[in-house]
């Protein structure tokens, strides 16, 4: 065989058959190895660079799970520690009572026997109110009461004392009213 009559090139040996239907004859189109053409379905656009968000969410989920597990372990250790102390003969831990609810303060007008003492008072001062009865020892009715207001003295009242408004708890206000009806009241600055 002579190589001169037929030219051989490596490019023609490795070239694949073309799949273009226009370039192939009709008989070759039917036996082609190319699949038939199909329309491209619609698809959402690709988002590039969003992988780090998924990683952050996964880490957050694991953090929540880890913190919940640590809380359960801490509660179990606290209960186990108290039981272990009780089994060794140690006294049980002291449970502190909850703090008292906020005391509601009320304004209580009080007539003090000595008007000159009331003129010394200013709003914001702290005073002790003392009830003095003839047959008994003087007693403190309100300790550390805050002076809310000192009204102007009455011109028509002679020796009836002077009025002062104190900010005290409701129970103390009741005690002041009762003491004012039976005894003479005096104040001392705190």
């Amino acid at each position: 065989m002579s190589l001169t009559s037929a030219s051989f090139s490596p490019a023609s040996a490795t070239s694949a058959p073309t799949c273009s239907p226009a370039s192939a004859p009709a008989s070759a189109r039917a036996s082609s190895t190319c699949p038939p053409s199909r329309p491209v379905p619609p698809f959402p656009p690709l988002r590039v660079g969003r992988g780090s968000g998924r990683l952050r969410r996964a880490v957050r989920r694991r953090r929540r799970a880890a913190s919940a597990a640590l809380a359960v372990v801490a509660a179990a250790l606290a209960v186990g520690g108290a039981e272990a102390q009780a089994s060794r003969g140690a006294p049980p831990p002291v449970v502190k009572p909850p703090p008292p609810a906020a005391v509601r303060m009320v304004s209580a007008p009080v007539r003090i026997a000595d008007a000159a003492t009331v003129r010394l008072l200013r709003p914001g001062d702290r005073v002790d109110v003392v009830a003095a009865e003839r047959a008994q020892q003087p007693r403190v009715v309100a300790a550390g009461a805050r002076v809310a207001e000192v009204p102007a003295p009455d011109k028509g009242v002679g020796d009836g004392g002077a009025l002062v408004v104190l900010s005290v708890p409701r129970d103390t206000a009741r005690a002041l009213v009762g003491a004012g009806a039976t005894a003479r009241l005096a104040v001392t600055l705190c």
Side-chain angles (χ1 to χ4, degrees), residues 36-42:
S37 64
R38 294 188 182 150
V40 176

Side-chain angles (χ1 to χ4, degrees), residues 137-163:
Q137 290 280 20
R139 64 185 169 93
V140 176
V141 181
R146 187 177 63 81
V147 175
E149 187 179 347
V150 181
D154 294 334
K155 300 287 184 194
V157 177
D159 195 28
L163 192 65

